[in-house]
Amino acid sequence: MGEEERLPVHSDEARELPPPPPGREMRRILYSPVDWLKMLARELHWSFVFGVVIVYGVSQGLGGALARVGTQFYMKDVQKVQPSEAQVYAGITSLPWIIKPLWGILTDVFPISGCIVCGCDFGDCGVLCYFLFKMPRLLEIGFCNVQGWFPLFISCALGIVSMLFLSLHPALHIVLALLSLTAASASVAIADVTVDACVAQKSGLHHSLAADMQSLCSLSSSIGALVGFSLSGIFVHLIGPQGVYGLLTIPAGLVFVVGVLLKEQRISSFAYEQISQNLANAGKAMWNTLKCPDVWRPCLYMYLSFSLGLNVSEGMFYWATDSPAGPSFSKEIIGYIMAIGSVGSLLGAILYQYGLKDYPFRDLLFWVQILSCLSGMLDLVLVLRWNLKLSVPDFVFVVVDASVSQMIGRLKWMPLLVLSSKLCPPGIEGTFFALLMSIDNAGLLTSSWLGGILLHVLNVTRTEFDNMWLAILIRNMLRIAPLFLLFLVPRADPNSSILPDDVVNMKEANEAREESENVELVALVDRTDGGR
């Protein structure tokens, strides 16, 4: 009994630990984003995280925010176009994002002079060297040492030249202005497809980190947009829209740094004479993947859901700045409103990362689409001036409207990005992810053009806004339609693989078949030589 009395007591109360000090808990919360970034850098390599921050945060986020506000005032005050025309022109400048598979197929089929980046190649260099300079071997040896800077140099130069052209010509014709804006958009798209390919390829290797990678992209874009929109109105007021274009040469130049630092997997040799065969194999793999119902059904939903949400934002912009019955916001106020709206986008990314990323795709998109329908009614309340009857100032109401709309838009976009990254078969990640993104962008282009047509039909001009409320009502009614298309979206767990096994193993099967054919050919040649 004496020994038993001396035994330690293992009770629940004895194992309870004192709560951590409040200061330590606060430090843990503050440092959790840093720990998250360190985890991504450790698992995916720091150069990947750096590339995402530069391309999404600086180029697309900050630069895109400055370009959006600058272009809106450029079209309205410098080119003096109608709202419906500005809406159509916005779609034209987004055309490079629809042909992203052309950039993507380069990143999968051809290595950059023997270099592959993160499994998703910067393929433009090897192809351009082969076709344009006819010196593949010499240039391969020379450029291999600079780790494929050539394609991103082209992107950088295209962005800088187009922005300088817009900035230095005060009376530029609308056709030349559209060509320059489209070239600038193409420069961003070339860099974007490279990082998209890396995200898609790494999502296939790290299924559990797919949502984290999309969260990193969205957070970088949202934070960059927040900074860009905060400064956009001030810059447009101080130096004008064309001065803002001059500033956009800086984000374009930073993209080149990504090509220098991004980790690459090198290939000792590449048979450039097999270019046509590689193109045929990539096309066949894409077609076989698209025929899979688990792939084409989500693609159809993504296109229809975006195209049915008519974009009348240019009409709202003209109404908010020029309409006598509107709030008549200044340039600075427009920038601040968009900046606060980007906070909503940031909150949407954080909400998805920490609360919604594990929900099934279909369930999450259902509720997000309902919220999108409801939030669209806020624009109707604003245009009909009901907010003033409720004693709510225009600035406060518009800030709430922009924040809610941006947050819901981000919550809809992020699960679709995760879904797209999981639909990419091995070996053609860059091509197929670019194809999926081009489908989304084609839906946005359709939405923009249909919105421009709607504004034109309803006679919404620079001075006439009587039917603006009707355009918003029609847009909101069409937002209900995607709810009836959700059966096209899988209920799959976002952390699991979606593609069937036959599509996932397609690359290995093709390589095994080619190896078998090569072995049989070698054996036939040996027998022929032996007979002689």
Side-chain angles (χ1 to χ4, degrees):
M1 287 296 296
E3 295 179 357
E4 293 177 357
E5 291 176 354
R6 289 194 297 270
L7 291 176
V9 180
H10 296 282
S11 62
D12 293 338
E13 293 80 7
R15 286 200 300 264
E16 287 185 356
L17 296 176
R24 181 180 300 176
E25 183 67 18
M26 181 61 66
R27 285 195 299 270
R28 187 187 66 83
I29 296 174
L30 293 176
Y31 281 101
S32 59
V34 178
D35 295 334
W36 179 63
L37 289 175
K38 289 182 178 179
M39 181 272 295
L40 292 178
R42 182 174 62 254
E43 297 292 334
L44 307 173
H45 199 267
W46 67 267
S47 61
F48 170 79
V49 177
F50 176 79
V52 168
V53 171
I54 291 295
V55 173
Y56 278 94
V58 178
S59 178
Q60 296 185 37
L62 188 147
L66 292 174
R68 179 180 174 183
V69 177
T71 301
Q72 284 184 323
F73 282 100
Y74 178 77
M75 289 295 178
K76 183 175 76 73
D77 298 336
V78 179
Q79 295 293 341
K80 300 186 182 302
V81 301
Q82 297 293 339
S84 57
E85 295 173 339
Q87 194 71 65
V88 173
Y89 294 156
I92 293 176
T93 57
S94 67
L95 285 174
W97 295 84
I98 297 179
I99 59 174
K100 280 179 66 174
L102 293 181
W103 320 124
I105 201 167
L106 295 175
T107 65
D108 279 323
V109 176
F110 314 103
I112 326 180
S113 314
C115 301
I116 292 181
V117 183
C118 299
C120 48
D121 339 345
F122 281 123
D124 311 71
C125 181
V127 183
L128 291 174
C129 291
Y130 181 79
F131 285 112
L132 298 180
F133 300 104
K134 306 295 184 181
M135 300 171 61
R137 292 303 301 169
L138 177 60
L139 293 174
E140 178 179 358
I141 296 172
F143 285 138
C144 198
N145 294 326
V146 295
Q147 303 187 4
W149 55 269
F150 189 70
L152 288 185
F153 174 76
I154 293 296
S155 172
C156 170
L158 191 62
I160 291 176
V161 171
S162 59
M163 289 294 98
L164 286 178
F165 189 69
L166 284 167
S167 178
L168 299 177
H169 290 75
L172 197 62
H173 192 273
I174 185 63
V175 175
L176 295 178
L178 287 177
L179 289 176
S180 299
L181 290 172
T182 304
S185 179
S187 70
V188 180
I190 293 173
D192 174 82
V193 74
T194 304
V195 177
D196 280 351
C198 290
V199 171
Q201 188 264 348
K202 289 183 178 296
S203 296
L205 297 177
H206 306 274
H207 295 296
S208 61
L209 295 178
D212 293 274
M213 283 183 269
Q214 295 301 337
S215 296
L216 176 64
C217 297
S218 297
L219 288 171
S220 300
S221 177
S222 298
I223 294 174
L226 172 61
V227 177
F229 282 130
S230 300
L231 301 175
S232 60
I234 300 174
F235 284 144
V236 171
H237 176 73
L238 293 178
I239 60 178
Q242 292 173 285
V244 171
Y245 289 145
L247 290 178
L248 288 175
T249 57
I250 299 175
L254 289 176
V255 172
F256 174 69
V257 182
V258 178
V260 177
L261 298 179
L262 201 59
K263 181 183 178 182
E264 297 179 334
Q265 175 186 347
R266 307 179 83 79
I267 295 178
S268 58
S269 62
F270 179 72
Y272 287 94
E273 62 275 8
Q274 295 181 358
I275 286 178
S276 60
Q277 183 62 38
N278 291 341
L279 288 172
N281 292 339
K284 183 179 179 180
M286 291 178 63
W287 175 246
N288 290 335
T289 305
L290 280 174
K291 290 191 300 183
C292 177
D294 292 333
V295 177
W296 68 260
R297 288 160 63 95
C299 292
L300 180 61
Y301 171 81
M302 287 188 286
Y303 173 76
L304 293 177
S305 65
F306 283 117
S307 60
L308 290 174
L310 302 187
N311 187 350
V312 294
S313 61
E314 294 300 325
M316 286 295 299
F317 170 72
Y318 277 69
W319 176 85
T321 55
D322 286 357
S323 175
S328 299
F329 288 139
S330 64
K331 299 179 178 65
E332 293 89 346
I333 296 298
I334 291 292
Y336 293 148
I337 290 172
M338 291 186 175
I340 300 174
S342 65
V343 174
S345 178
L346 178 61
L347 292 177
I350 295 174
L351 181 60
Y352 178 82
Q353 168 64 24
Y354 292 102
L356 300 175
K357 67 177 182 179
D358 295 325
Y359 279 78
F361 294 113
R362 188 184 300 180
D363 296 344
L364 181 57
L365 290 173
F366 173 80
W367 292 108
V368 169
Q369 194 65 41
I370 289 180
L371 292 175
S372 178
C373 298
L374 296 176
S375 66
M377 301 303 294
L378 295 176
D379 289 337
L380 186 62
V381 172
L382 178 66
V383 171
L384 294 177
R385 314 305 283 151
W386 292 348
N387 63 298
L388 297 181
K389 295 180 180 180
L390 298 174
S391 300
V392 180
D394 287 328
F395 178 78
V396 175
F397 191 86
V398 172
V399 162
V400 173
D401 183 6
S403 301
V404 172
S405 300
Q406 290 285 338
M407 183 179 67
I408 294 174
R410 181 64 67 181
L411 288 176
K412 178 181 178 179
W413 183 248
M414 292 193 63
L416 292 178
L417 287 176
V418 177
L419 176 62
S420 299
S421 67
K422 291 182 172 296
L423 295 177
C424 301
I428 55 170
E429 294 93 348
T431 305
F432 206 79
F433 193 85
L435 175 63
L436 296 178
M437 292 298 98
S438 70
I439 292 174
D440 294 345
N441 290 315
L444 294 173
L445 173 63
T446 305
S447 169
S448 183
W449 282 357
L450 290 178
I453 294 174
L454 179 63
L455 293 175
H456 179 74
V457 170
L458 296 179
N459 195 32
V460 177
T461 66
R462 296 173 61 94
T463 57
E464 295 290 336
F465 300 95
D466 293 339
N467 292 327
M468 190 66 219
W469 70 271
L470 184 57
I472 296 173
L473 182 61
I474 294 173
R475 180 202 66 181
N476 294 342
M477 293 175 62
L478 287 175
R479 285 185 177 183
I480 302 175
L483 292 173
F484 301 98
L485 303 174
L486 282 172
F487 67 92
L488 298 171
V489 179
R491 288 186 178 273
D493 179 8
N495 296 320
S496 62
S497 179
I498 296 177
L499 290 176
D501 293 337
D502 56 341
V503 176
V504 175
N505 299 327
M506 186 187 306
K507 179 182 178 181
E508 289 78 3
N510 291 337
E511 291 177 351
R513 182 170 60 254
E514 293 177 359
E515 183 178 354
S516 176
E517 292 175 355
N518 292 336
V519 171
E520 293 176 359
L521 181 61
V522 171
L524 178 62
V525 172
D526 290 341
R527 286 198 299 270
T528 303
D529 293 340
R532 291 177 183 175

